[in-house]
């Protein structure tokens, strides 16, 4: 098996899956497997990715793939990794590709355990910021003030109250060697991070911002554009954290105000209509400013 | 057809499920404009743009008509037209 | 070379597991399962057992780790008890549906609330629907034997289901008693390496954990039930083979003790059966025709064998160390349901005995016999179970 | 009791159409029941799906799918190639198809009573507005007489309060009169 | 002022909950429960419902949050389905043992593996032992009514147990149909504020969650069973009161439909009963004496009422939308166990129907009737359940 | 209610509990309640503290106390806090007092959820570095190389392989306002931290090193001495972290080599006998050195 | 005695359980040496040292004999002696 | 079958003593069974607890607690104030108490056969070494004759390999001869 980038590129995640048209997550997975190559086993907890790739009789996965439950991806992966070691097959690497709900919420206990034990598993969170598979409920990854079906805006509410759980740094605080954030809008960057992650043994974590036309409320051809806006406004910093320290950031090419990002998504519509919610918008802008400053996201 | 034990499924079998019927817009790739940059192939979530010997082609068996290829094509070589009803 | 030793029931189990050469072990500690998994940890630390031992953060993960290991084609083992078993519920349903043949020990202990570490069968009984085979043992010796048998049954191509060996906490896990062991060669011959029909193989990639629609789902469920039915035969055969190997013959799915001409038959499972046997002997000495049908395999439920044993009796007394709140004990329910409508089926009198560690001695058993006899003699058909040893003074109005 | 089956695609609001009918039934002092067919896992936009509706003078107890519909409504003509929309359709039943084509162009068996629509929405996925469905609803009311215009209008206003409701009631009225319905 | 509306079953439930004025709501989303909890979230966001809505990270935590809220003396509500209910298992056992009277909706859906969102009763049935009262409803109207009743039953001083209203996913939660609502005043009169006998009070500090030894544990278990038994009366009375209030009378723990002279009686629960009633009418029209006994309260199991209804029948056909692997369906088991030994009890024929969303229409019901009649006429007593609509072509050997 | 430090001090955690003689945890709890006063409700997950205070009929808790399960302390506490808010009783504060197993392992998913939601709960981990209630099995809080019954030393093992999970910093990465570490050996410091924590609303976390004579293997009168050695060797730094930054450390009064700490405990015996395991001892010493340096634990 | 509903227990009721029987060593507090610093009261895990009007006293109903008070007493005023067997 | 009940305190190794007896039984070609009484939750050091042992020529099936012991062994005399150590003791049974006191000083009913020990370990909690128990074991063997010295010595060596075993076998031998046991 040569580098999958060169020569005839073999598709390991094939057509016929049932993602919504324009699904960012589906695109992410295509590229994740391009970067890892075929010597991998993938575990996916319940969620959109599982649902759109698991209907009985129709699997787009050309690598061994397992879905077990919603909350146990890291543990199933640990069991596989343990078996591979005993079988002397540990040149085969184990990946978890999981939604943000599985990662930030219900499966986080298991993930934390996996990290703590130091399992040789690359955990990839394809983050669409809500429980999309079940209709877009709040997750801990939902951004501040986004509307979800369980945290809707209303007379007493402007959407989600809490800031997005800062999982990359929480994972890093587990003394994990390789942690990164990526975006579907920057596919080469994503593949590069995957390659570097695959060079490390032990637990690793990559969080991929995966815009979701159905859940975020934008047209299906805007997936990459929305992803780019997120990165360029500073709310979605693309980082590499090694041994607990920030080692690399992707600089913002063209800084934009957060409003440009928010305005194109129905989940933030209530911040603009029926009336503009200035306090909320300002807080989101300063959140972006803060990230830009802390991580040095601007060039020069 | 007999069920498999434990509902195990052959990898890649989704090629038997044609999502092209979901489409309400059809992307037309204008080869004259196309610069063969490969971006459309990169960005298609459904892997429905294929590079053949000759050129990039949309596989209408699977294309869901999301429009991403058209949007991202730097040469504006792809046009979306409504599926005839 | 077989050998004999007096040791803890937990250690007997650990030695059985070691002899089965599992590749992956994962467990989360809970009393009274701890001695089993601690012993295994020591074996791994000393290099006596070559296995990955995954020290997980919960029972949910323990069951998930062995699921993953099983999917990858390795032999895998876990053990738990009480709260831990309840916490595994969701994983066990899924693993049975995925047909993963791992083995686990269900160390019987009651469940919260109130919390207690006392023995009863509520924990494993609560898992009786999920598709995991349940074997119950009476002694440390049988616990040893049953764990060897469990892997063989689980991995049989017509079964491919998880198997749980249920053993009473403390009473078996923490008792010292004589146990005969097989040599490693004998075990290896009895239990060849695991050859899964499918496993996670990059050369032949498959997908597990499908989503099923209403057009196939019922058939998938039915196939688990079919595997359960087939398991009855496999379990019987496995115990026969074991009997040939060891000379220890416990019977098939049900052990009959002094059953032939018995008029009163007790039905029980687990370690209490030993005490019941003593009581049966005492009753026989006093001229009463009493016998015991000990359920050794509760899932699949061996109603055919039970029927054969009890059809000649006048009355059957069922001892349930569990209770389905708002209904009755699970064994009584299964048994009566399966006997229902059989012509001339005997009277069945349900008892709740040994709940929450409440002592069951020969005296209590003889009281059960007496009460069952009275029911028969006065043609009373009790609708509610009798709770043996209930202290009425403690009860509020 | 009248039974209706609706064929559409994920995102086209087949269920909403069924719900509007059920709501309208109450306005006509009847009983209505509307429910989805569970094609489950992956009801993504564009995938062919179904919804059901029952209308009755008496309380509706039946919970099974509609298998012998009096009316079949097809929101998206491309579905004709995917699903057997005629399945179980009663001989006296009616097939309503949202297509500009003429009935005879559709290659259906001759026993089937078909109604097509001269005016069809361009994209059925148009930004969450149920206009196509209210168009169909008005037509259904006019053609079948199962629901009164008044009831339908009330139902639309209930389900879509505000401006959206206004647009849609206008659409109902238009299609109702286009298909020969007479205001009471 | 009472009012009537056509709306989604989920919304009817949400409106019932709102009317009950819970102080704490906590839930984790899972299809098909989502519409209920989303609707409640909207009410809270709009200030229409004054409650704390705790958006937890799992169902384990959802059940734990309502436990905590209940301990603090507040009325609390949660809802779940399928995998979520399985994940709550351990919490529900403990909460019942601690006698916490919260209410939950169990939206019925099958359980993994294979995963599916289709409806059946496997999820709630798996919780039948734990001490949570289970009510099953046929329609959105009954779902609305049952949630009001649930709090009243749960909080009764002689009950003090969690109550779960079980309603079929999709078929009820996602159907639009006519529902009559009570006015808030009526509900307030029906359901006064919750007055817990004990709650977390710094002025009178008490301790919860004791460790119990074998000297008291069995009595604590027994007291839960006693509460279950008492609950039968309370549930009956509550529904009577409800009937007076609303004019809707579903019967007591069991609804009998055309049962008086019925020779063939179907036993079922949940929404399928509506279809069964249609089939019963059809059968009656063709001169067959068929009736339905619909179980409205499954835990506690209403065997007295069932017996009264079916004792005159020739044959009883039980429809189970669940299956205990290695045994049979739970309703059949409960029923046969409780009828066992009754003199001249009718033949009981078990069916598995509606598993994994498999369609049950009047045709299927009439087939069940036919098959049950045949069993009776040919004196066949089937030991294994018949799986209705099984597609044999899909099954492996 | 005046300050519980002054005037007649009322004992809120009374005699008659069943902790082992010399139990550090029992001592910690006495002082925790002294600092908080009686306007609190305590939730305790399953573990030693629960077991030795819950036998039916005999409760040493003079504040309302709940044990529910092992893994759901944070969630039960969240439910109580929610109810108190609705009941307008939220001058009463909610505490969780939990073992390290409940905190670091099985209950961590729930804890992380509680932190993320921002619940007004003070979470106190009484850390004895293993599952003591069940006989001393490994937890994620077990120190590197300590012997436990599930990670025993042996031919292939020197005890626990992983370093202690760094929970205070993981919690801090959840953007929690108040995080502290304390030790039973420094009771005034412990009480001070509790008081400061009680002044903050929202989630707070205090981790109390609680030497355990039975589990660590030392004489029952050495509990405080062992605690002091742990602090003074640098392995148990006493920190205060506010808003994610270190704001206060307790300086080491008299620095000692880690060996002085390890040698008095049976759980480290295998590092000295049958033969001295120099590599392991050196690694532990450098761990301490590192902490001393990072946190500036030395005076001057 | 009747059981409570749900096994609820009165706070502070452990005072009815006397752990003094567990003790195999008995701490004797020598009032002559005692400086009344209160450390013994502070460090007792069982709350078995009480400050009375007059002085610090060990409550032998509860004292388990751990020895912490003796160890930590700065005045060495507490002596442990084996319980007579 | 002989039944033995041992009273001690958490940390004094009552169960170990029972286990040693059961192991020794095998060495005598008998059956032995040893198990704890679950006083559950809070078996802390110092708390009064119990352990049981059965010795028999035939396999032992009984699983209930020992309620009518042939022998009662009390490891710690302070327990006499807490537990009814005589409960169920057979009339012909024997009570062995680890105390320096004379039997008549103990205030026991006159029917009870009592054996005390002139030499008692100072602290029963001495650093995990089971010396007191092996002392009692040797005495038990000598006084009752239920287990041979040889069997007991083998059991001790099996349960405690290495130096610990040596110390303990010496202790067994000492007490065995002190209490009049004769080496075979
Ligand atoms: C124990 C359990 N609870 C709830 C569910 C229902 N459920 C399935 S997927 C999902 C949300 C998935 O969210 P996320 O992980 O973010 O993935 P996404 O669908 O957004 O890609 C939920 C709530 C479940 N399957 N199991
Ligand atoms: C779900 C579940 N698994 C396991 C147990 C058994 N268990 C009870 S307490 C405990 C360990 C407690 O450890 P920790 O939290 O560190 O408290 P400690 O006893 O050390 O104070 C375990 C494993 C349980 N009660 N519930
Ligand atoms: S809901 Fe979003 S993430 Fe899920 S399949 Fe659709 S587009 Fe993709
Ligand atoms: S993106 Fe446009 S230019 Fe590039 S290959 Fe595709 S069609 Fe051609
Ligand atoms: S329209 Fe969308 S699915 Fe179709 S080829 Fe283009 S990118 Fe792929
Ligand atoms: S084991 Fe340790 S923490 Fe637990 S009660 Fe004993 S001394 Fe305290
Ligand atoms: S510690 Fe010593 S000096 Fe201080 S009060 Fe106690 S006995 Fe007195
Ligand atoms: S010896 Fe221990 S228990 Fe007794 S008073 Fe002193 S510190 Fe307290
Ligand atoms: Mg998501
Ligand atoms: Mg601990």
């Amino acid at each position: 098996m040569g580098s999958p980038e060169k020569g005839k590129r073999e598709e390991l995640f094939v057509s016929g899956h049932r993602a919504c048209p324009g699904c960012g997550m589906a695109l992410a997975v295509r590229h994740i497997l391009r970067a890892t190559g075929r010597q991998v086993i993938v575990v996916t907890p319940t969620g959109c990715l599982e649902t759109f790739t698991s209907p009985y009789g129709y699997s787009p996965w050309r690598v061994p793939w397992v879905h077990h439950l919603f909350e146990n991806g890291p543990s199933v992966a640990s069991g596989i990794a343990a078996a591979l070691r005993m079988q002397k097959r540990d040149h085969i690497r184990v990946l978890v590709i999981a939604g943000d709900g599985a990662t930030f919420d219900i499966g986080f206990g298991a993930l934390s355990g996996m990290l703590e034990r130091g399992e040789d598993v690359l955990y990839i969170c394809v983050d669409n910021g809500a429980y999309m598979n079940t209709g877009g409920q709040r997750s801990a990854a939902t951004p501040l003030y986004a509307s979800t079906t369980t945290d809707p805006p209303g007379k007493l509410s402007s959407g989600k109250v809490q800031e997005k759980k800062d999982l990359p740094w929480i994972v890093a605080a587990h003394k994990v060697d390789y942690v990164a954030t990526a975006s579907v809008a920057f596919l080469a960057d994503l593949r590069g991070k995957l390659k570097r992650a695959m060079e490390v043994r032990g637990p690793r974590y990559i969080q991929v911002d995966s815009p979701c036309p159905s859940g975020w409320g934008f047209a299906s051809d805007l997936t990459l554009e929305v992803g780019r806006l997120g990165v360029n406004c500073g709310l979605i910093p693309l980082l590499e954290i090694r041994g607990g320290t920030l080692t690399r950031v992707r600089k913002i090419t063209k800084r934009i105000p957060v409003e440009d990002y928010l305005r194109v998504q129905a989940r933030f519509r209530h911040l603009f209509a029926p009336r503009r919610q200035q306090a909320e918008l300002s807080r989101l802008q300063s959140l972006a400013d803060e990230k830009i400053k802390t991580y040095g996201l601007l060039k020069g | 057809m007999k069920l498999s034990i434990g509902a195990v499924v052959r990898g890649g079998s989704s090629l038997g499920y044609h999502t092209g019927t979901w489409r309400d817009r059809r992307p037309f790739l204008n080869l004259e404009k196309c610069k063969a940059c490969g971006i459309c192939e990169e960005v298609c979530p459904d892997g429905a743009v294929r590079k053949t010997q000759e050129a990039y082609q949309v596989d209408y068996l699977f294309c869901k008509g999301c429009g991403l290829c058209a949007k991202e094509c730097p040469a504006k070589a792809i046009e979306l037209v409504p599926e005839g009803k | 070379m077989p050998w004999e030793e007096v040791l803890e029931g937990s250690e007997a189990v650990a030695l059985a597991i070691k002899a089965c050469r599992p590749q992956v072990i994962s467990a989360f500690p809970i009393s009274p399962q701890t001695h089993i998994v601690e012993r295994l940890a020591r074996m791994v630390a000393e290099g006596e057992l070559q296995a990955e031992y995954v020290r997980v953060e919960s029972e949910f993960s323990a069951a998930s780790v062995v699921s993953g290991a099983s999917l990858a084609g390795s032999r895998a083992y876990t053990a738990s008890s009480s709260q831990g078993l309840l916490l595994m519920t969701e994983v066990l349903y899924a693993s049975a549906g995925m047909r993963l043949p791992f083995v686990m020990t269900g160390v019987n202990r009651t469940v919260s609330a109130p919390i207690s570490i006392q023995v009863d069968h509520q924990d494993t009984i609560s898992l009786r629907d999920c598709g995991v085979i349940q074997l119950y043992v009476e002694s440390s010796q049988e616990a040893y034997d049953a764990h060897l048998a469990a892997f063989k049954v689980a991995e049989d191509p017509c079964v491919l289901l998880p198997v749980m060996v249920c053993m009473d906490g403390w009473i078996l896990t923490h008792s010292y008693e004589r146990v005969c062991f097989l040599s490693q060669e004998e075990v290896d011959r009895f239990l060849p390496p695991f050859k899964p029909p499918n496993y996670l193989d990059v050369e032949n990639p498959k997908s597990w954990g499908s989503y099923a629609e209403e057009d196939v789902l019922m058939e998938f469920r039915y196939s688990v039930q079919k595997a359960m039915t087939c398991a009855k035969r496999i379990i019987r055969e496995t115990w026969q083979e074991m009997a040939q190997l060891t000379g220890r013959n416990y019977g098939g799915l049900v052990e009959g003790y002094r059953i032939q001409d018995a008029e009163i038959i007790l039905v029980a499972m687990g370690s209490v059966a030993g005490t019941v046997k003593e009581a049966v002997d005492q009753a026989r000495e006093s001229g009463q025709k009493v016998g015991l049908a000990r359920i050794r395999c509760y899932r699949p439920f061996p109603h055919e064998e039970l029927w054969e044993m009890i059809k000649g009796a006048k009355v059957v007394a069922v001892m349930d160390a569990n209770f389905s709140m708002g209904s009755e004990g699970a064994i009584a329910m299964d048994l009566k349901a399966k006997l229902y409508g059989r012509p001339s089926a005997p009277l069945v009198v349900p008892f709740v005995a040994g709940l929450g560690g409440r002592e069951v001695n020969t005296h209590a058993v003889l009281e059960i016999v007496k009460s069952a006899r009275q029911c028969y003699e006065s043609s009373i058909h009790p609708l509610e179970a009798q709770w043996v040893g209930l202290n009425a003074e403690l009860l509020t109005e | 009791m009248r039974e209706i089956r609706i064929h559409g695609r994920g995102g086209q609001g087949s269920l909403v159409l069924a719900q509007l009918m059920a709501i309208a039934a109450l306005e006509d002092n009847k009983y209505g029941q509307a429910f989805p067919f569970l094609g489950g896992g992956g009801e993504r936009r564009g995938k062919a799906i179904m919804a059901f509706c029952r209308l009755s003078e008496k309380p509706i107890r039946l919970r099974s799918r509609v298998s012998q519909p009096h009316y079949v409504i097809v929101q998206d003509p491309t579905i004709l190639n995917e699903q057997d929309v005629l399945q179980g359709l009663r001989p006296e039943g009616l097939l309503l198809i949202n297509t500009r084509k003429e009935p005879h162009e559709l290659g259906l068996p001759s026993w089937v009573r078909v109604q097509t629509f001269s005016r069809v929405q361009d994209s059925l996925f148009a930004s969450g507005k149920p206009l196509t469905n209210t168009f169909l609803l008005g037509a259904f009311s006019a053609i079948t007489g199962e629901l009164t215009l008044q009831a339908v209008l009330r139902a639309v206003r209930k389900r879509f309060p505000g401006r959206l409701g206004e647009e849609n009631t206008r659409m109902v009225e238009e299609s109702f009169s286009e298909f020969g319905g007479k205001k009471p």
Side-chain angles (χ1 to χ4, degrees), chain C residues 217-292:
Chain C
L217 191 46
M218 182 153 157
E219 286 70 21
F220 276 117
R221 299 279 186 259
Y222 187 79
S223 66
V224 173
Q225 168 64 358
K226 259 185 73 178
M228 276 278 179
T229 306
C230 176
K232 289 187 183 179
R233 180 174 54 79
I234 304 299
I235 295 169
R236 246 178 246 120
E237 288 171 5
T238 303
W239 281 113
Q240 270 158 19
E241 190 179 337
M242 175 79 78
Q244 263 153 22
L245 192 62
T246 64
R248 293 184 290 274
N249 195 341
Y250 307 91
L253 306 182
V254 185
E255 179 196 16
Y257 182 75
R258 306 191 79 167
I259 212 94
Q260 297 78 356
D261 61 341
E263 294 173 349
I264 302 178
I265 294 183
L266 293 141
V267 173
M269 59 192 194
S271 67
V272 79
T275 305
V276 174
K277 285 173 184 170
E278 291 290 334
V280 164
D281 286 359
Q282 290 177 23
R284 286 271 176 184
E285 272 167 41
S286 73
Q288 304 184 66
K289 291 191 176 163
V290 179
L292 163 70

Side-chain angles (χ1 to χ4, degrees), chain A residues 103-121:
Chain A
T103 307
F104 286 58
D105 293 337
I106 201 167
F108 184 59
L111 172 56
S112 178
M114 180 196 105
L115 301 172
E116 184 268 327
R117 290 193 301 275
E119 304 284 353
D120 184 29
V121 174

Side-chain angles (χ1 to χ4, degrees), chain C residues 192-213:
Chain C
F194 174 36
K195 291 260 179 333
N198 283 310
Y199 70 98
L200 295 163
D201 179 6
V202 291
E203 301 309 324
N204 185 13
K206 297 188 177 169
S207 296
W208 276 256
S210 292
Y211 179 93
E213 275 312 343

Side-chain angles (χ1 to χ4, degrees), chain A residues 241-261:
Chain A
I241 306 161
R242 286 172 165 247
T245 4
L246 191 66
T247 53
R248 191 201 290 238
V249 303
R250 190 178 205 291
K251 299 282 182 185
I252 289 175
T253 40
K254 180 177 151 271
R255 183 172 182 187
I256 54 160
V258 292
E259 283 194 36
D260 290 7
Y261 172 62

Side-chain angles (χ1 to χ4, degrees), chain A residues 100-101 128-132:
Chain A
D100 52 289
N128 56 18
Y131 303 156
M132 292 309 175

Side-chain angles (χ1 to χ4, degrees), chain C residues 51-70:
Chain C
E52 287 279 333
Y53 189 106
V54 187
R55 292 161 191 87
V56 280
E57 81 299 333
S58 73
E59 288 89 353
F60 203 98
S61 282
S64 303
V65 164
V66 295
S67 297
S70 188

Side-chain angles (χ1 to χ4, degrees), chain B residues 17 21-22 24 84-85, chain D residues 9 46 76 82 123 125:
Chain B
Y17 186 83
T21 57
W22 300 17
D24 68 340
K85 299 275 156 173
Chain D
R9 294 194 177 278
D76 186 324
E82 276 179 80
S123 173
F125 297 106

